[in-house]
Amino acid sequence: MIELLAPAGDFDRLKTALHFGADAVYIGGAKYSLRASAKGVDGEQLDSAVDYCHTRGKKLYVALNIFASDGDMAGMRDYLERVYKSGADAIIVSDPGVISLARKYVPDLELHLSTQSNTTNSYSARFWADMGIKRIVTAREMSIDGIKRMRDVLGGDAEIECFVHGAICVGHSGRCFLSRSMTPDRSGNRGACSQPCRLTYDLVDGAGRPVLTGKHLLSVRDLNLTHRLGDLLDAGVCSFKIEGRLKDANYVRNVVAWYRAALDRELALRPHLRRASAGRSVPDFVPDPSKSFTRGESEFLFDGRRAGLASFDTPKAVGEPIGRVVRVDRTGFVLDRDHTLTAGDGICFGASGTSVNRV
């Protein structure tokens, strides 16, 4: 069963994700999630969200993926039992202590291993499967060859889930300590990242001479694996995950509809594979991820290390490419395509999708 898994920062975005083609959604609560500033879904609203999903043949997963302290653990058992009673289909975990408590107090609740656990090789995957993990969300740095090896080693003992779209952290699979180092009360591993990787920095050589100044040297382009979904299907991936619990409903609507269509095209070529839920979504617009927030796109390390991953010029959305400047004179410029432009459109000029000037 092949699943398109979408983010849901709140109940409204959950509904949006399902209406536009997601087979499942993942949410976080007010506690224990790595998106502390997201509204989350807790209490009676969690019961309603689970019911909303299940009556439509969809699944709901709850993220409890912080790296917990002893203080967190004091209330963890009650929270785990609350999630279990809601009927949620699985929890997404990263901390071995949380895994231990879940196995003890809610042994029937399915465990999915968060990308934060940084599973980068087949040996780690085998270890976690032996610990009772039913699905492994791979590190985002995994190449397609590494995913294939992981699938071979796991056999049928655990499923594999991969991110296919959204923000990429410069820290290995998001396990970053830079935020905590620079802003002690803002730990990325506890859901409160201050995003220092999106700030400007200067690069100097060994003698202290400037090489680059005022550049976003740690900012990475966003992930887009639209054209590699078939490779992932053939590698044995069962869940295709979109990042974005802090993104708005328009982002969820557009990106989910885009990947629903792209994944369905690949499934049509593989009749031995089935979609994880029934139904058909017909959007009333033409999906296009370049029209949603993006820092420029890349396939990251899917084919191994390569150039073109950085977003040095801006950590903000670069927008939709509208053409290449072919002539400049004192009164303006000419593009290689016809476009009606007006003052305030926010045009960016740069090379290869990067923004160096905005008007």
Side-chain angles (χ1 to χ4, degrees), residues 4-227:
L4 179 61
L5 177 58
D10 57 27
F11 203 163
D12 288 338
R13 279 172 278 180
L14 179 152
K15 294 176 181 177
T16 298
L18 298 188
H19 291 177
F20 286 90
D23 300 303
V25 293
Y26 63 101
I27 66 170
K31 300 186 294 184
Y32 312 129
S33 165
L34 283 184
R35 288 292 182 266
S37 56
K39 292 181 180 179
V41 179
D42 269 326
E44 292 182 2
Q45 196 176 48
L46 176 59
D47 297 334
S48 299
V50 171
D51 182 66
Y52 190 90
C53 291
H54 288 178
T55 56
R56 290 159 178 78
K58 314 289 186 176
K59 291 186 176 182
L60 182 146
Y61 310 132
V62 179
L64 285 81
N65 55 342
I66 65 165
F67 287 95
S69 66
D70 281 346
D72 296 313
M73 290 306 215
M76 186 67 71
R77 176 181 174 179
D78 288 343
Y79 192 79
L80 286 167
E81 291 176 341
R82 180 69 188 85
V83 171
Y84 176 67
K85 290 176 182 177
S86 76
D89 295 280
I91 55 173
I92 305 169
V93 292
S94 55
D95 190 294
V98 177
I99 293 171
S100 177
L101 282 181
R103 291 180 64 192
K104 181 176 182 180
Y105 294 112
V106 287
D108 295 330
L109 184 56
E110 190 169 295
L111 304 180
H112 294 181
L113 190 70
S114 172
T115 187
Q116 291 291 122
S117 288
N118 201 21
T119 307
T120 58
N121 61 78
S122 58
Y123 293 88
S124 292
R126 181 71 263 171
F127 169 83
W128 288 116
D130 291 343
M131 292 295 103
I133 297 295
K134 296 302 182 184
R135 179 184 293 181
I136 293 170
V137 188
T138 63
R140 301 185 205 188
E141 291 75 17
M142 288 285 289
S143 68
I144 184 61
D145 290 337
I147 292 169
K148 289 176 181 176
R149 286 193 296 272
M150 189 177 290
R151 175 73 281 157
D152 290 343
V153 168
L154 287 173
D157 295 335
E159 298 173 338
I160 293 179
E161 175 181 306
C162 290
F163 277 91
V164 294
H165 194 91
I168 291 289
C169 177
V170 70
H172 215 76
S173 210
R175 195 166 180 175
C176 178
F177 298 93
L178 184 60
S179 178
R180 174 106 186 251
S181 299
M182 296 179 69
T183 49
D185 58 340
R186 298 283 302 275
S187 171
N189 296 310
R190 294 184 57 79
C193 183
S194 60
Q195 294 196 313
C197 59
R198 306 299 182 183
L199 300 177
T200 55
Y201 294 91
D202 297 338
L203 178 66
V204 299
D205 64 15
R209 294 170 298 204
V211 178
L212 290 171
T213 58
K215 293 292 186 178
H216 301 272
L217 298 179
L218 300 180
S219 185
V220 182
R221 292 189 182 202
D222 290 352
L223 180 68
N224 186 329
L225 293 182
T226 299
H227 303 297

Side-chain angles (χ1 to χ4, degrees), residues 16 19-21 249-250 252-258 260-261 280-288 291:
T16 298
H19 291 177
F20 286 90
N250 288 328
V252 173
R253 179 184 299 111
N254 185 29
V255 175
V256 169
W258 172 267
R260 179 73 274 157
R280 183 165 174 254
S281 174
V282 183
D284 55 357
F285 64 98
V286 179
D288 182 353
K291 294 182 181 295

Side-chain angles (χ1 to χ4, degrees), residues 325-335 349:
V325 176
V326 295
R327 192 175 79 246
V328 178
D329 58 33
R330 290 191 301 173
T331 62
F333 60 91
V334 177
L335 297 176
F349 294 91

Side-chain angles (χ1 to χ4, degrees), residues 289-311:
S290 70
K291 294 182 181 295
S292 292
F293 185 97
T294 175
R295 300 179 178 92
E297 61 186 43
S298 80
E299 294 182 350
F300 201 40
L301 304 181
F302 194 82
D303 291 311
R305 294 191 177 277
R306 57 194 58 233
L309 307 182
S311 178

Side-chain angles (χ1 to χ4, degrees), residues 226-247:
T226 299
H227 303 297
R228 310 308 294 269
L229 301 183
D231 295 326
L232 288 168
L233 286 169
D234 295 338
V237 172
C238 78
S239 183
F240 294 72
K241 189 171 193 174
I242 298 168
E243 182 274 338
R245 277 189 290 136
L246 293 180
K247 300 295 200 308

